[in-house]
């Protein structure tokens, strides 16, 4: 063991313009993985720059996760849970996030990051089908990230849009509108600096 711990802090950086989308899904067919993330990306009418959607398992350790998040300014997570567990392709992301939160109780290594989480799933698992999206949202916030918009939960009410049954398309349109506003504010700030 090393006698020190590596400290991560995401500093707001105007050059970080890319949006990362991470997904988790219980769908069996390989081509079905990421369908929600692709649908969400298609709602990006102003064409804000996004990295290709990726599975939560692309992050092997909590350190990998924190390093990857240093290269983005916005993170969008679309996932479900079953019986309170993450989808197999989201396991590394969830474990890395929990470990990062446990190791960084005092620090806020995700300060400067903005995130949005959408919980997708089947209400037949009512007691647990939003466990993982809620956990991810809470851990990101605990680590210093700020919500772009409130977490969305499939087919639940959503007061920000006055909807009784939220769908990914409704939430995604609202999210991209808010991201557009954030980008516009950032551009105005940059102009004032000149």
């Amino acid at each position: 063991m090393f006698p020190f711990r590596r400290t991560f802090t995401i500093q707001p950086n105007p050059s970080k313009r890319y949006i990362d989308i991470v997904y988790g899904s219980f769908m069996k067919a390989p081509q079905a993985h990421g369908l929600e993330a692709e649908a969400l990306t298609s709602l990006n009418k102003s064409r804000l720059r996004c990295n290709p959607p990726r599975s939560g398992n692309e992050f092997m350790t909590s350190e990998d996760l924190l390093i990857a998040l240093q290269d983005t300014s916005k993170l969008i997570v679309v996932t479900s849970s079953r019986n309170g567990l993450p989808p197999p392709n989201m396991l590394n992301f969830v474990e890395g996030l929990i470990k990062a939160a446990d190791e960084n109780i005092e620090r806020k290594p995700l300060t400067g990051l903005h995130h949005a989480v959408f919980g997708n799933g089947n209400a037949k698992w009512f007691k647990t089908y939003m466990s993982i999206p809620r956990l991810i949202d809470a851990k990101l916030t605990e680590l210093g990230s700020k919500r772009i918009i409130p977490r969305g939960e499939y087919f639940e009410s959503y007061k920000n849009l006055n909807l009784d049954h939220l769908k990914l398309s409704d939430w995604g349109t609202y999210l991209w509108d808010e991201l557009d506003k954030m980008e516009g504010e950032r551009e105005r700030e940059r102009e004032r600096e000149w």
Side-chain angles (χ1 to χ4, degrees):
M1 274 273 156
F2 293 103
F4 61 90
R5 252 194 200 151
R6 190 167 175 191
T7 303
F8 295 94
T9 304
I10 294 178
Q11 296 297 325
N13 180 345
S15 67
K16 293 193 285 189
R17 300 181 63 122
Y18 287 100
I19 298 167
D20 274 325
I21 300 175
V22 178
Y23 64 87
S25 175
F26 281 102
M27 293 182 177
K28 300 261 187 236
Q31 68 274 20
H33 291 308
L35 283 179
E36 295 94 350
E38 303 249 344
L40 184 63
T41 303
S42 73
L43 297 170
N44 179 7
K45 301 299 180 209
S46 62
R47 301 292 169 227
L48 294 171
R49 295 183 339 185
C50 294
N51 288 319
R54 51 190 176 162
S55 156
N57 276 353
E58 291 186 28
F59 309 97
M60 299 308 290
T61 67
S62 60
E63 191 169 293
D64 289 344
L65 177 63
L66 292 174
I67 289 169
L69 293 179
Q70 288 181 350
D71 292 331
T72 190
S73 61
K74 313 282 186 302
L75 173 67
I76 302 168
V77 179
V78 180
T79 190
S80 57
S81 60
R82 184 181 295 157
N83 295 324
L85 299 173
N89 62 344
M90 192 61 155
L91 191 59
N92 288 353
F93 184 88
V94 172
E95 287 177 348
L97 200 55
I98 291 169
K99 186 174 181 188
D102 289 346
E103 292 175 350
N104 292 283
I105 296 282
E106 300 301 319
R107 298 186 295 275
K108 301 283 187 197
L110 299 186
T111 299
L113 179 70
H114 291 84
H115 73 274
V117 177
F118 185 83
N120 209 6
N122 187 333
K124 130 180 166 180
W125 310 100
F126 184 73
K127 290 185 180 182
T128 61
Y129 87 112
M130 289 298 159
S131 298
I132 296 303
R134 290 173 182 163
L135 173 77
I136 290 170
D137 187 36
K139 293 297 180 186
L140 287 169
T141 302
E142 190 178 310
L143 287 165
S145 180
K146 292 184 180 170
R147 285 185 196 98
I148 300 165
I149 61 174
R151 181 184 61 252
E153 297 183 350
Y154 177 74
F155 219 65
E156 296 295 321
S157 64
Y158 197 73
K159 67 180 178 183
N160 290 59
L161 297 176
N162 295 319
L163 293 174
D164 291 331
H165 304 291
L166 185 65
K167 295 179 191 156
L168 178 62
S169 58
D170 299 321
W171 183 85
T173 300
Y174 176 45
L175 171 64
W176 290 114
D177 287 347
E178 290 301 309
L179 286 167
D180 278 343
K181 289 177 191 172
M182 289 174 79
E183 185 64 22
E185 288 171 17
R186 197 175 82 168
E187 289 300 320
R188 284 189 293 280
E189 277 180 31
R190 293 175 81 194
E191 286 174 10
R192 280 192 293 260
E193 290 173 5
W194 285 95

